[in-house]
Amino acid sequence: MPRYHDLTAKLAGLIAAGELVPGASLASIRELAATERTTATTVARAYRELADAGAIVIEPRRAARVSAGGELAARALLREGAVFRLAGSDDPALSMLLAEMPDTMLPVGASGSYRGLAALWSARADGASLHLRHRSGEYNAPFARGILAGRDPVLVHLWRREQGLLVATGNPRGVERIGDLAKLRVVRRPAGTGTRTLLDRLLLDDGVDPDAISGPTVELHLDVALAVATGEAEAGLGLRSAATAMGLDFVPLSWEPFQVATTRAQTGGLAPLLTALAEPATSERIVALGGYDVAGAGEIIEVA
C-alpha cells in the first residue's frame, strides 16, 4: 500500500479516537515528514486525502486543523468504502435518500423497528432505524442500550415525524380520536413495527382491545395510505407524509424521534446520509413531504 495511505489511516485513527479533537492543529508538512521519516510529498498527499474526506481543513498560510465533523469523517474514511447496512423502520424520507446513495448505504432485511434491532443484535446490520417508545416514556435509547450493550452504542438523530390517523378525504366517518377506530375497518402495519406497537398502545390506553380491530395488514406507510384511498379500509395509523402523498385527510396524534441505533465505531458509515441531510435542498425536500422536522439532524446521542 502506498506510504501516504498508511499515514492517512494513522491520522484518521487519531481523529476518530478523539486524540486529535475538532479545531486541533496538525503538524506542518515538513515537521510531520521529519517525524514520520517520510517525504513532504507523502504528507501533503495524506493531508489532501483527509481534507477531501472532510476530516481536516486546509487553508493557505495556516496550519491544517481537524474539522468540526472530523471524528465522523475520519471514521467514514477508515471504513475504506464499506457499504453501511441499514435495517429497521420504514420511512418515506429515508427511502428517498437511500435510493440516491446505493453505493454507500444498503437497506437490509424486512422493515420494522423490532426486525431492525434483531438484525443489529445478530450483526446482520450496522445500524437500525427505529421509533420505539419504551414503557418509561423514553424513545429509542433503552433499546439501543440493551441491544448494543458493551459495544459503545449511540443514536444518530435524523428527524422528528408526525403520526396520526389517515382517513378518506373529508373524513366521512368523523374520526376524531383513536377510540373511534373500534367501529371501523382499520388497516394496520405488521406486528414488530414501531407503528403497530404505537397503535396497539394507543388503543389500550383508550379502552379498546387491539385484537377486536378488523382490517388488512400491509407492509409500508404508503400501503396504509393506499388501503384507505382505495376503500379497502376506513382508517389507519401512519405518517402525515403518506396521507399528503395520497390526498387523504389526517388526524394528528403525536410527533416521534426517528433515529438510527448503531455503535460509535460504525457511525462513519452514516456520513453519506448525514452529508446529504446537511444540504438545505435535501432538508427542503424532506419537509415538503409533510410532517417532518429536521432540526438537530445528525446529532449523535450518547446512550451508554
Side-chain angles (χ1 to χ4, degrees):
M1 181 178 292
R3 179 71 176 92
Y4 81 90
H5 281 314
D6 290 340
L7 184 56
T8 300
K10 179 178 180 178
L11 294 171
L14 294 174
I15 296 170
E19 294 184 39
L20 290 172
V21 299
S25 296
L26 278 67
S28 71
I29 290 176
R30 289 181 179 275
E31 290 171 341
L32 190 57
T35 300
E36 293 292 327
R37 298 182 179 180
T38 188
T39 67
T41 300
T42 295
V43 175
R45 290 190 67 181
Y47 277 9
R48 173 49 55 194
E49 189 165 299
L50 288 165
D52 289 344
I56 69 172
V57 177
I58 299 175
E59 294 177 335
R61 295 183 295 279
R62 291 190 61 182
R65 66 184 188 280
V66 180
S67 66
E71 185 177 333
L72 185 61
R75 289 204 184 97
L77 186 61
L78 290 170
R79 287 177 61 86
E80 297 180 346
V83 173
F84 188 92
R85 300 167 300 163
L86 182 61
S89 178
D90 166 56
D91 183 89
L94 182 59
S95 296
M96 178 181 72
L97 294 183
L98 293 181
E100 299 172 359
M101 48 189 72
D103 296 331
T104 56
M105 304 282 296
L106 178 66
V108 295
S111 65
S113 294
Y114 289 7
R115 294 165 180 165
L117 288 171
L120 196 55
W121 170 272
S122 61
R124 290 180 285 112
D126 303 311
S129 55
L130 67 159
H131 60 109
L132 287 174
R133 184 179 185 271
H134 191 260
R135 61 177 179 271
S136 66
E138 187 178 13
Y139 268 89
N140 301 332
F143 303 99
R145 188 179 301 120
I147 292 295
L148 296 170
R151 295 161 61 186
D152 202 4
V154 296
L155 288 170
V156 180
H157 183 74
L158 299 185
W159 44 69
R160 292 169 66 244
R161 60 186 202 170
E162 191 175 19
Q163 291 263 30
L165 298 176
L166 283 65
V167 296
T169 304
N171 194 3
R173 298 301 302 270
V175 176
E176 296 180 351
R177 61 186 182 86
I178 201 75
D180 294 336
L181 299 184
K183 57 188 177 183
L184 303 179
R185 185 167 173 78
V186 180
V187 55
R188 292 176 289 182
R189 299 284 307 290
T193 63
T195 298
R196 176 62 174 270
T197 300
L198 175 62
L199 174 61
D200 289 351
R201 179 177 61 80
L202 292 175
L203 287 169
L204 288 170
D205 288 348
D206 215 358
V208 179
D209 181 0
D211 292 334
I213 297 294
S214 64
T217 298
V218 299
E219 278 294 324
L220 307 176
H221 280 283
L222 185 58
D223 295 337
V224 173
L226 286 169
V228 175
T230 60
E232 186 180 2
E234 296 169 293
L237 180 67
L239 298 177
R240 180 183 287 275
S241 58
T244 300
M246 297 306 301
L248 301 173
D249 276 13
F250 183 79
V251 181
L253 293 178
S254 65
W255 284 84
E256 60 186 12
F258 191 76
Q259 298 164 333
V260 174
T262 186
T263 64
R264 179 168 292 280
Q266 294 283 9
T267 51
L270 289 169
L273 181 62
L274 301 185
T275 298
L277 273 174
E279 294 291 333
T282 301
S283 296
E284 290 171 7
R285 288 168 60 200
I286 293 173
V287 172
L289 294 174
Y292 284 97
D293 176 4
V294 296
E299 179 186 0
I300 297 178
I301 303 166
E302 304 283 349
V303 297

